[in-house]
Amino acid sequence: MPLLSEDTQGGHVYLHHESLIGDQLWSELRNLAPERSRPARSMLLRQGDPGTQVILLSSGSTLVTLAGANGEKTLLAVRGAGELLGELAVLDAQPRSASVIAAEPCRVHLIPAPDFLAFVHEHDLTIPLLRHAIARVREAEAVRLEMATASVPVRLAAALGRLVNAASRHGADTVVRLTQTELSQLIGASRNGVGSAIRPWRERGWLGTEASGGLVIRNMLAIQADVLA
């Protein structure tokens, strides 16, 4: 099964693990651990920790972030429902290479490493999962290059687009439960820079702000078109 599929804008998106292994095996894997809830902004996996469990994400979306030597954070990816998180550290018995934070309330299954490894061995999933992990590493490298070279509005629009695409609820409006400070840290910009990028989008009605500090995305396509104009 290919790991890449075409998206609606001609780029590529990586298949979720649920699509990779199929509905039947996904259901069996989910049944290995009870479902639990995690609030927005909670730390699901911490960079540098040992791989003692794998997270199966049933609903919600998460941020995959990399911490630098001085504590700065870089956004590597956004993951939504149907994904496994932290499986690479379990498969190669190495410390976790990144942190995973809940971008919104999430429902998860915390599968102990021995149970996950036994499941992978039983169903011959090692090679497909490793190939999938490599594809995600390549995706993360592309995101890091984008974050290092693009302007603040382009970086912010890309990050918001990933959050909207991974959100558990899609409708007229999508709420991104991150403050401007948190967004600035994730894209490597100043808070003022993020505020300046958001201002014209808010004035045009493409997004709004919540009292809690989050953003309400009303027209993601218009925002993306604006930064490419």
Side-chain angles (χ1 to χ4, degrees):
M1 177 180 293
L3 299 181
L4 294 173
S5 61
E6 294 290 334
D7 68 16
T8 57
Q9 298 178 357
H12 291 94
V13 291
Y14 292 97
L15 291 178
H16 290 174
H17 283 104
E18 184 175 4
S19 298
L20 179 71
I21 70 175
D23 293 342
Q24 179 60 41
L25 288 183
W26 185 257
S27 179
E28 293 179 19
L29 186 59
R30 187 175 55 222
N31 289 336
L32 292 179
E35 188 176 72
R36 303 174 185 272
S37 61
R38 292 291 183 268
R41 296 188 176 90
S42 59
M43 180 72 71
L44 302 181
L45 298 172
R46 192 180 303 276
Q47 182 179 336
D49 283 356
T52 58
Q53 62 186 10
V54 172
I55 294 179
L56 184 150
L57 187 60
S58 289
S59 70
S61 57
T62 63
L63 306 170
V64 182
T65 66
L66 180 69
N70 297 319
E72 67 278 9
K73 296 178 182 177
T74 301
L75 178 64
L76 298 182
V78 177
R79 302 293 177 210
E83 288 279 10
L84 296 175
L85 307 168
E87 81 285 357
L88 185 57
V90 171
L91 289 171
D92 69 358
Q94 296 296 315
R96 302 201 184 280
S97 58
S99 294
V100 178
I101 303 165
E104 60 179 327
C106 295
R107 305 290 294 181
V108 300
H109 298 256
L110 309 179
I111 303 171
D115 295 344
F116 179 75
L117 290 172
F119 183 89
V120 168
H121 178 73
E122 179 183 355
H123 298 287
D124 295 322
L125 294 174
T126 302
I127 298 303
L129 287 175
L130 286 176
R131 286 176 176 167
H132 192 273
I134 291 169
R136 293 204 306 190
V137 168
R138 289 174 177 163
E139 177 199 21
E141 289 299 321
V143 172
R144 289 182 70 185
L145 178 62
E146 174 188 88
M147 294 299 174
T149 59
S151 66
V152 171
V154 170
R155 279 147 46 199
L156 181 58
L160 292 177
R162 292 185 181 98
L163 285 161
V164 168
N165 288 338
S168 57
R169 295 181 181 178
H170 293 277
D173 298 340
T174 302
V175 178
V176 172
R177 300 186 185 281
L178 296 173
T179 66
Q180 291 185 30
T181 297
E182 289 168 328
L183 285 169
S184 68
Q185 292 171 342
L186 290 173
I187 68 169
S190 68
R191 189 182 185 283
N192 287 340
V194 168
S196 296
I198 287 174
R199 190 174 302 113
W201 301 341
R202 184 193 298 116
E203 292 171 352
R204 295 167 186 168
W206 298 341
L207 60 72
T209 55
E210 286 199 317
S212 61
L215 297 178
V216 181
I217 311 301
R218 300 195 173 101
N219 194 335
M220 193 64 239
L221 290 178
I223 292 172
Q224 291 170 330
D226 182 61
V227 299
L228 296 176

